[in-house]
Structures are given as C-alpha cells and as structure tokens.
Amino acid sequence: MTAPPITPEPLAESLITPSDHEHPPVGKSFIFAFAFAYAGFWIACLTPGTVSLALKVQNMVGSKDAASTLSALVGVGVLLPLLLMPVVGRLSDRTTARMGMRRPYLLAGAAGVVALGAVKGLAPNVPVLLTAFALYSVAANLIGTPLLAVIADRVPVRQRGLVSGLVGLTLPLAVIGGTFIVQAVATDTLLMFLLPPLIAAVSVLVFIVLVKVRRLAKDAPKPKLSVREIAGTFWVNPVRHPDFAWVWLGRLLFVIGYGFLTTYQTFFLLNHLGSSQNEVPRQIFVASLVLSITTILTSVTGGRLSDRLGRRKANRVLAARRAPVGGGRRGMLS
C-alpha cells in the first residue's frame, strides 16, 4: 500500500497532510533510525524462537515432549499475527491520531513486547507460556507492520533500493546480536526473554524521536474496512499470476527449511550432540555468526554473479542442490 508523500518539516510540525509531490530524499538520521528500529524488531522476533523458548520448554516438559510442545507454541505464535496483521495494517492506514498514523502502533508494540517478554520469562507452565508468546508475537508485529509502511510514507522511489537493502542486512545482524545477548545472560532465564524486547523498545523510541511521521487528516477519505478486503490479503490467483505464485512457493519452502533449522537446533544440540544447557546458547551464537556472515557474503556475490550472467534460475538450482547436502551432513554429526 503506497501512501501519499509528505514534505520535510521540523519534528514539532511533522504531523502534516501529505501533498501529491514526490517524497523528498531521506537523510542519514532517517536511514539510521529506520535500520536500528528494524534490527530491534528482528531481535525481538527471532531471539525467543532461536534459543530462549526451546530452553525454557525443555526445562518445563523434559526432552521427550519438548519438540511437540515447542511446535504448538511456535505454531500459535505465528498464526495469530498472520491473521491479525492485515487488519492492523489497514487500521494504521486509516488512523488520524495527532501523533501520526504509525506511532500509536509502534508504541503499543514496544510496550507489549517488554511486558510480555517478562511474562514469558516468569511463566510457570506451558499454557501461560503459550498465551504470552502468542500475544508477544502480535505485539512484535505491531512494530514491524507499521515500520514497513513508513517506506511508502517517506522514502522516494530512487532511494527505496538502498533502504530495502539495509533492511535486509538487519536480519542477519539481528540474529547475531540476539544470540550474543542470550549467551551472555544464559544463566538468567528472565533476562534471556527480557533484554531482546527492551532493545526493540529502545530502537522504537529512537525512531519516533528522529523520524518525522505522516499524519492523516481527520476529513481525509477513508474507505470502509471490509471482510472482503481483508480476505483478499491472503489470496492471489496463481493462474492469472503464475510468476508470483512460483516465487511465493519457492520462498515459502525456503523459509520452512530455515525455520526447521533455527527452531529445533537447540534440541539437536541438547539431545543428539549431548551439549549442556549452559553450552547451547554459546554454540548457537557461534553457528548464527557463521551463518550470518556467509549469508551476507553469498547474497552480495550471488546477486552480482546473477546480474553479470543475466540468469537467475541457475543460481537457485545450484543452491537447491547444495542445501540438502549440507543438511544431511549436519544430521550425521555425532
């Protein structure tokens, strides 16, 4: 969804109705604040599922039921925001608050992840942990969804490649940062769950202070929010748009494979390789560091090679053939 652009104003006067002109270029402060906020969002989202949640589940239910319990937690935690975020995005596009269209959701998300992070760390049983994690996922996406909309609100077309590229880099950097934090406080369960959302909250506050936001005038036309419009979010006709469908399916399968690796690697280390719970956070940090560095390097070199050859499928076929080999070797480790 592309929103009309805004013109630059001092922060106190930034709540303005956008004009029909091109967005002005964004500066270094915007790029820093946006990248920092998105990195904070990823740290809050990914860190619990990478190590903290698995360790807590293992302590709660034991190794026999740990994998199935974690699957239920993660499944509910992903499904709830999947259903709710299209509604939040559309409500954000229609918000006429004095503080702007996006800030109310960013602040609610920041407060929510901190509070629910503490609840997760202190949760005495699986039902409480499940409820807290599901609501935590919704709160985290109250940060991520409005942040994405800010690109359309503020960034001119000629700078969107740069900003989007920096956003892409925040993911591996957040994985490194999140796992480093967890291994540094591995002996304190509450801090493992509380520090990542605290970083996200700080990044949101920095973003709000540094970045001018778009304000929607109260008399601006706002189409009614319909069930049909929301349902349309989840459907694109694959027959009419086959290229989109194949790319979407390929990315889905890739993310599923990556999700298996990151979600269950804690149990692999504990139950297959015999690592102790104190060793696992450090081992996952080292693995995440290696994975993130290689991801950044291969993304850059692979993209350049693809541009030079003028071919996309060859790289993907090669990667698809090599990935099972690496996974199989990992599975044979003892």
Side-chain angles (χ1 to χ4, degrees):
M1 294 171 288
T2 301
I6 67 173
T7 55
E9 298 268 346
L11 183 60
E13 301 176 5
S14 64
L15 304 180
I16 57 176
T17 301
S19 69
D20 293 328
H21 302 295
E22 171 64 277
H23 299 296
V26 295
K28 293 180 180 179
S29 63
F30 174 92
I31 293 173
F32 163 77
F34 189 82
F36 182 36
Y38 224 88
F41 160 71
W42 281 128
I43 288 174
C45 274
L46 298 178
T47 306
T50 302
V51 54
S52 309
L53 204 60
L55 290 174
K56 189 168 181 72
V57 167
Q58 178 95 352
N59 287 331
M60 278 185 168
V61 302
S63 59
K64 182 178 180 181
D65 299 320
S68 59
T69 303
L70 183 63
S71 298
L73 287 168
V74 174
V76 174
V78 170
L79 182 61
L80 198 57
L82 175 68
L83 297 175
L84 292 179
M85 283 310 105
V87 180
V88 171
R90 283 165 171 77
L91 288 175
S92 174
D93 288 341
R94 293 162 170 81
T95 297
T96 58
R98 288 183 59 83
M99 67 172 61
M101 298 169 66
R102 317 301 177 189
R103 282 177 174 168
Y105 303 92
L106 292 171
L107 289 172
V113 292
V114 172
L116 291 163
V119 173
K120 287 191 300 176
L122 299 171
N125 52 53
V126 172
V128 173
L129 184 60
L130 187 149
T131 303
F133 182 65
L135 295 176
Y136 178 93
S137 299
V138 173
N141 280 279
L142 286 176
I143 299 173
T145 301
L147 276 178
L148 275 180
V150 171
I151 294 180
D153 289 346
R154 288 294 315 272
V155 182
V157 173
R158 63 184 179 276
Q159 284 186 302
R160 288 182 184 175
L162 170 64
V163 174
S164 298
L166 291 174
V167 169
L169 285 177
T170 62
L171 176 57
L173 293 177
V175 171
I176 295 172
T179 52
F180 175 80
I181 291 167
V182 170
Q183 63 92 33
V185 296
T187 57
D188 191 319
T189 301
L190 178 59
L191 287 180
M192 282 200 301
F193 283 100
L194 192 54
L195 284 182
L198 277 174
I199 292 173
V202 170
S203 73
V204 166
L205 293 177
V206 170
F207 177 83
I208 287 174
V209 169
L210 294 181
V211 173
K212 295 183 284 287
V213 296
R214 177 189 168 197
R215 178 184 174 186
L216 185 67
K218 291 187 180 296
D219 58 352
K222 296 180 286 292
K224 291 184 178 180
L225 188 62
S226 66
V227 175
R228 181 184 180 89
E229 180 186 356
I230 295 171
T233 304
F234 301 98
W235 172 251
V236 175
N237 191 321
V239 176
R240 293 179 58 186
H241 307 281
D243 291 342
F244 175 87
W246 282 114
V247 171
W248 182 88
L249 179 61
R251 289 184 66 86
L252 173 66
L253 295 175
F254 170 79
V255 172
I256 288 174
Y258 185 79
F260 272 114
L261 168 65
T262 57
T263 303
Y264 299 105
Q265 64 179 334
T266 297
F267 298 148
F268 180 80
L269 292 169
L270 288 171
N271 304 325
H272 186 71
L273 297 185
S275 300
S276 69
Q277 288 206 11
N278 291 333
E279 294 174 324
V280 166
R282 181 186 59 80
Q283 291 171 340
I284 291 181
F285 165 67
V286 173
S288 299
L289 180 63
V290 173
L291 175 63
S292 297
I293 291 174
T294 55
T295 297
I296 293 171
L297 293 177
T298 54
S299 295
V300 173
T301 56
R304 288 183 176 178
L305 180 62
S306 178
D307 288 339
R308 178 167 295 184
L309 296 177
R311 301 175 65 184
R312 314 296 182 191
K313 291 183 179 179
N315 286 355
R316 294 172 184 170
V317 170
L318 178 62
R321 289 179 175 177
R322 295 297 301 171
V325 174
R329 289 177 177 174
R330 174 187 286 255
M332 291 187 291
L333 290 174
S334 61

